Amino acid sequence: MSGRPEELFPLFCEVRTLPGIGPKTAAHMEALGIRAPRDLLFTLPQSGVDRRRRDTIRGAILPATLTVAVQIGPHTAPRTKGGAYRVHVEDAETSFQLVFFHARGDYWKNALPEGSRRVVSGKVESFEGIAQMVHPDHIVAEEAAETIPAFEPVYPLTAGVTQKLMVKAAGGALERVPDMFEWIDPAQKSKVGWPDFLEAVQAAHRPQAQADLALTAPARERLAYDELLAHQLTLALARATERRKPGRATVGTGQLQSAVLSRLPYRPTQAQTRAIEEINADMAAPTRMSRLLQGDVGAGKTLVAFMALLRAVEGGGQGVLMAPTEILARQHMESLAPLAQEAGVVLDVLTGRDKGAARQRKLDALARGELHLLVGTHAVFQVDVHFDDLRLAIIDEQHRFGVRQRLELGRKGDGVDVLVMTATPIPRSLSLAQYGDMDVSVLDEKPPGRKPIKTVMISTARMDEVIERLRAVIADGRQCYWVCPLVEESEVLDLTAAEARFKRLRAALGEGAVGLVHGQLSPAEKDQAMAQFVSGQTKVLVATTVIEVGVNVPNATIMVIERAETFGLAQLHQLRGRVGRGEAASTCLLLYQAPLSEGGRKRLEVLRETEDGFAIAETDLQMRGAGDLIGTAQSGMPRFRVADLERQAGLMAIAQSDARRLLSDDPQLRSEQGAAARLLLWLMRQEEAIRLISVG
């Protein structure tokens, strides 16, 4: 089934084939993301205006949109050029004025003769004690009153597109919806009381009351589900295709894993043990592993990742761990080296900094299989990097790596298992939207011995006290991070702010005690500043947010975040997680500039009250919305037209299990319901998915 089904042709032809749309308007519509009649179907009214008729405007709370029958009274021409033309009218109980600006000649005198009757509808406001309806939306003769809708939908607009035009065009699009077989399981559909697809789009475009615009209105909920189901079918097909590619069963003896576990000073948490078992089982299966390891700050992802790497070695192969930056790659190397030594496996690091003969030595050892585990940056993608037998690729901090890179890495070996680690707790609805094709292991417990971090809010007016506090901490042998605010997204201004803070702290705490890291430094300079802080040479590290992910300095016990109210919740949580990694009690100081906005205050209070990254991520999602939370543009997050990820997380989960069930019963989508699901994929512009079925 290669091309789009014929019954959908009318919905996918050019938008200018709809009534009232010429080439010019079609170009304007593009700004609303409307290229074909199909796009109009899923551009739903965002609000509505109640235009039910009433006898009088008396007693209405103004301003309000009202619809009444009136008797036309005297006209008053404008006193000045461009002034207001007024028509005095009376309804059943009171009088008010219709007001028109830029009235031409005798137009209104002829259109609204004194003594005639009309039904008018529009916004009524009180001006100097007189009720006025300025430029009514509708003026019709009494016998044509029913042409004014009782409840009028309001569409999103753009320059050159009017409400009238949207209503007319949407009506045209609705006429083109073919009769389609149902892709939703009938039992489920009747249980939730959803209408058929055609009925649902008609009801969504012709709301009868405010309640019909709610996300939970049956018609809207059904369309949101359809959108999510198409997305989840695509992910499930991608996952099935991925699984059909032969993987390799990597079965380990468990010797290396237990050698390391038995020497740890603590016992892994239940969550860690569960994740290790899930990964072992995936690697032993003949299909390729595609798993996401999600863990909050400090939940112990590194140990789980290392156990997976050891499993690859136990099975006679090699493993690679990729980090987004040089600093992180070296840090992984340092934290894993002692564990590798315990297990007797050979571990090395490869970054862009490795050159010449030293680099060649590493590459040779890798190709001969003498080097078991490699930690690296993007450098491991380079053409001349060859593994003897790569079994497992672990990618740290997924959002810096696209799906394309996941696949590239997979090409370095035959049927390589892939594990993605992220330290950003992702609310369930988003993780389903973004990683629905992967299996997920969640580390939702903290290892024993992690001390809670005390979080305090302080106004920037008390900056001097904060600096005094730092002096005491440093005298005590501890270290501190000082994060500067992001200024208007401009790196140059960020730099000025960071440098000013650096100078002030250096003057207060001593020349050599303060280091500075910011986005304008070269990687080598950044590394050097970080290294001086890690080794304890510098006591305070002033930084823009470049230190968010993964940096580990157990001796740092204070995190100062300046202008904390300008950061997102997830970001604040990540920054806070840089302290509290050692024995000593740690503190996070949120410096804010008064007065705080409602949102700013709420964010900081949530942070002060909890250290649970998942709870924080859910709050962040409600406050900011999905697009902002993960930066929709670069995250590969789908943009939904009807579904609302923040508020319909439950619907996404249902769509995922339905999609997986449908495909396990009918992998080629050949049954009646399967064929309907194919149609849905075409309707939702998921051509990619259809290619996946044909490949399969």
Side-chain angles (χ1 to χ4, degrees), residues 313-630:
V313 180
E314 287 176 0
Q318 294 165 298
V320 62
L321 169 59
M322 292 209 38
T325 64
E326 174 112 18
I327 294 176
L328 278 176
R330 298 200 174 276
Q331 203 163 320
H332 276 311
M333 175 70 195
E334 280 157 31
S335 61
L336 296 178
L339 297 176
Q341 212 169 350
E342 293 284 356
V345 297
V346 185
L347 168 76
D348 212 335
V349 62
L350 183 69
T351 67
R353 209 194 274 179
D354 293 298
K355 302 271 188 292
R359 180 170 188 272
Q360 198 50 54
R361 270 200 304 279
K362 291 182 186 184
L363 295 185
D364 294 343
L366 199 60
R368 287 198 300 269
E370 290 157 15
L371 178 49
H372 303 131
L373 300 179
L374 185 65
V375 177
T377 54
H378 276 80
V380 305
F381 282 138
Q382 286 162 347
V383 189
D384 59 350
V385 179
H386 299 290
F387 291 82
D388 173 45
D389 179 7
L390 179 63
R391 297 292 184 91
L392 171 69
I394 301 184
I395 301 172
D396 189 9
E397 282 304 316
Q398 160 69 15
H399 51 263
R400 317 264 171 106
F401 288 106
V403 176
R404 202 188 70 242
Q405 281 117 325
R406 275 204 301 224
L407 297 174
E408 258 179 59
L409 198 56
R411 287 194 201 105
K412 290 278 179 200
D414 181 23
V416 176
D417 285 327
V418 177
L419 179 69
V420 171
M421 297 201 293
T422 171
T424 316
I426 307 167
R428 183 160 160 72
S429 56
L430 294 191
S431 74
L432 286 178
Q434 211 177 1
Y435 305 118
D437 60 325
M438 305 182 84
D439 295 301
V440 182
S441 294
V442 178
L443 299 181
D444 47 11
E445 307 167 54
K446 289 236 165 77
R450 285 296 295 243
K451 294 194 170 58
I453 299 167
K454 186 178 172 193
T455 303
V456 188
M457 290 165 64
I458 298 182
S459 154
T460 43
R462 297 168 56 192
M463 182 84 75
D464 292 336
E465 292 175 47
V466 174
I467 295 176
E468 275 314 303
R469 168 90 191 268
L470 288 194
R471 196 193 300 277
V473 172
I474 292 169
D476 204 22
R478 299 281 166 207
Q479 288 169 279
C480 162
Y481 292 99
W482 188 297
V483 177
C484 291
L486 285 172
V487 188
E488 316 279 276
E489 293 299 312
S490 139
E491 289 204 344
V492 184
L493 290 174
D494 284 350
L495 185 53
T496 331
E499 281 179 336
R501 181 59 59 240
F502 170 64
K503 286 183 183 135
R504 178 166 172 188
L505 289 172
R506 208 171 49 174
L509 304 169
E511 281 290 317
V514 188
L516 175 64
V517 187
H518 54 77
Q520 306 271 306
L521 294 176
S522 72
E525 291 170 313
K526 255 186 228 175
D527 282 0
Q528 192 190 351
M530 287 302 304
Q532 287 172 340
F533 185 62
V534 172
S535 68
Q537 238 176 298
T538 46
K539 302 300 178 199
V540 177
L541 184 65
V542 174
T544 50
T545 49
V546 290
I547 58 162
E548 255 180 88
V549 185
V551 189
N552 193 16
V553 182
N555 192 40
T557 58
I558 290 201
M559 167 64 72
V560 179
I561 305 174
E562 197 176 332
R563 294 298 306 275
E565 75 278 8
T566 61
F567 292 93
L569 252 175
Q571 209 176 15
L572 288 168
H573 178 62
Q574 287 293 322
L575 287 167
R576 173 171 64 182
R578 298 298 114 227
V579 294
R581 292 171 164 255
E583 296 300 300
S586 294
T587 310
C588 175
L589 300 178
L590 304 172
L591 292 185
Y592 64 87
Q593 190 163 328
L596 275 175
S597 69
E598 194 43 48
R601 173 176 305 283
K602 188 174 169 192
R603 278 204 300 279
L604 300 186
E605 284 173 351
V606 167
L607 204 72
R608 189 176 62 190
E609 256 107 76
T610 177
E611 277 193 66
D612 175 348
F614 287 93
I616 286 171
E618 289 290 353
T619 311
D620 205 11
L621 178 61
Q622 286 156 14
M623 289 181 69
R624 291 203 295 161
D628 293 341
L629 196 59
I630 44 181

Side-chain angles (χ1 to χ4, degrees), residues 172-199:
L174 286 169
E175 282 168 18
R176 299 182 177 197
V177 178
D179 214 10
M180 295 186 279
F181 189 78
E182 187 53 82
W183 46 79
I184 301 179
D185 181 338
Q188 180 188 340
K189 191 173 148 217
S190 64
K191 191 175 100 186
V192 284
W194 286 340
D196 288 341
F197 180 77
L198 176 58
E199 222 180 300

Side-chain angles (χ1 to χ4, degrees), residues 197-392:
F197 180 77
L198 176 58
E199 222 180 300
V201 275
Q202 286 172 338
H205 281 278
R206 297 175 183 148
Q208 300 301 302
Q210 205 60 42
D212 295 341
L213 296 164
L215 280 177
T216 48
R220 285 206 170 213
E221 196 173 62
R222 146 129 214 181
L223 295 176
Y225 170 85
D226 289 341
E227 212 173 13
L228 298 174
L229 180 66
H231 173 63
Q232 287 297 335
L233 274 170
T234 304
L235 288 176
L237 282 161
R239 170 190 161 121
T241 311
E242 197 54 41
R243 300 201 153 193
R244 276 197 297 272
K245 289 183 192 150
R248 292 178 63 194
T250 298
V251 183
T253 55
Q255 254 176 311
L256 299 178
Q257 286 188 341
S258 50
V260 170
L261 289 173
S262 65
R263 297 217 174 89
L264 288 177
Y266 56 87
R267 289 185 52 185
T269 62
Q270 280 175 311
Q272 283 175 312
T273 306
R274 188 175 61 232
I276 292 168
E277 283 166 4
E278 287 168 345
I279 292 166
N280 283 344
D282 277 3
M283 290 178 71
T287 47
R288 292 175 77 162
M289 167 165 79
S290 177
R291 186 171 281 278
L292 174 71
L293 177 63
Q294 241 197 323
D296 200 352
V297 179
K301 286 180 300 298
T302 314
L303 177 68
V304 175
F306 190 63
M307 287 297 131
L309 291 167
L310 288 181
R311 180 53 51 126
V313 180
E314 287 176 0
Q318 294 165 298
V320 62
L321 169 59
M322 292 209 38
T325 64
E326 174 112 18
I327 294 176
L328 278 176
R330 298 200 174 276
Q331 203 163 320
H332 276 311
M333 175 70 195
E334 280 157 31
S335 61
L336 296 178
L339 297 176
Q341 212 169 350
E342 293 284 356
V345 297
V346 185
L347 168 76
D348 212 335
V349 62
L350 183 69
T351 67
R353 209 194 274 179
D354 293 298
K355 302 271 188 292
R359 180 170 188 272
Q360 198 50 54
R361 270 200 304 279
K362 291 182 186 184
L363 295 185
D364 294 343
L366 199 60
R368 287 198 300 269
E370 290 157 15
L371 178 49
H372 303 131
L373 300 179
L374 185 65
V375 177
T377 54
H378 276 80
V380 305
F381 282 138
Q382 286 162 347
V383 189
D384 59 350
V385 179
H386 299 290
F387 291 82
D388 173 45
D389 179 7
L390 179 63
R391 297 292 184 91
L392 171 69

Side-chain angles (χ1 to χ4, degrees), residues 23-275:
K24 210 165 166 187
T25 315
H28 289 311
M29 286 222 156
E30 190 110 347
L32 291 168
I34 299 172
R35 302 194 304 278
R38 170 259 168 231
D39 303 322
L40 247 171
L41 286 184
F42 296 100
T43 305
L44 300 184
Q46 55 196 22
S47 59
V49 181
D50 189 341
R51 294 198 190 275
R52 276 176 303 203
R53 217 152 118 200
R54 42 190 296 158
D55 296 333
T56 176
I57 68 162
R58 175 183 258 162
I61 297 161
L62 303 184
T65 298
L66 304 171
T67 307
V68 288
V70 294
Q71 170 115 6
I72 306 292
H75 293 226
T76 310
R79 284 197 291 274
T80 58
K81 189 171 183 263
Y85 185 100
R86 299 169 192 277
V87 181
H88 301 268
V89 297
E90 280 186 26
D91 64 24
E93 294 184 25
T94 184
S95 60
F96 59 100
Q97 298 177 348
L98 305 182
V99 179
F100 302 93
F101 291 97
H102 312 295
R104 296 217 173 85
D106 288 341
Y107 178 80
W108 290 113
K109 212 165 200 64
N110 301 329
L112 300 173
E114 199 171 328
S116 63
R117 291 191 59 78
R118 296 284 187 274
V119 174
V120 294
S121 181
K123 190 176 188 183
V124 180
E125 301 185 72
S126 173
F127 184 69
E128 291 178 353
I130 298 164
Q132 302 185 334
M133 187 184 285
V134 180
H135 289 273
D137 303 320
H138 299 269
I139 305 177
V140 299
E142 266 190 301
E143 51 276 19
E146 68 286 346
T147 60
I148 300 177
F151 189 80
E152 188 172 49
V154 175
Y155 285 92
L157 299 179
T158 182
V161 178
T162 63
Q163 280 303 336
K164 220 176 204 150
L165 191 120
M166 284 293 278
V167 171
K168 195 170 172 184
L174 286 169
E175 282 168 18
R176 299 182 177 197
V177 178
D179 214 10
M180 295 186 279
F181 189 78
E182 187 53 82
W183 46 79
I184 301 179
D185 181 338
Q188 180 188 340
K189 191 173 148 217
S190 64
K191 191 175 100 186
V192 284
W194 286 340
D196 288 341
F197 180 77
L198 176 58
E199 222 180 300
V201 275
Q202 286 172 338
H205 281 278
R206 297 175 183 148
Q208 300 301 302
Q210 205 60 42
D212 295 341
L213 296 164
L215 280 177
T216 48
R220 285 206 170 213
E221 196 173 62
R222 146 129 214 181
L223 295 176
Y225 170 85
D226 289 341
E227 212 173 13
L228 298 174
L229 180 66
H231 173 63
Q232 287 297 335
L233 274 170
T234 304
L235 288 176
L237 282 161
R239 170 190 161 121
T241 311
E242 197 54 41
R243 300 201 153 193
R244 276 197 297 272
K245 289 183 192 150
R248 292 178 63 194
T250 298
V251 183
T253 55
Q255 254 176 311
L256 299 178
Q257 286 188 341
S258 50
V260 170
L261 289 173
S262 65
R263 297 217 174 89
L264 288 177
Y266 56 87
R267 289 185 52 185
T269 62
Q270 280 175 311
Q272 283 175 312
T273 306
R274 188 175 61 232

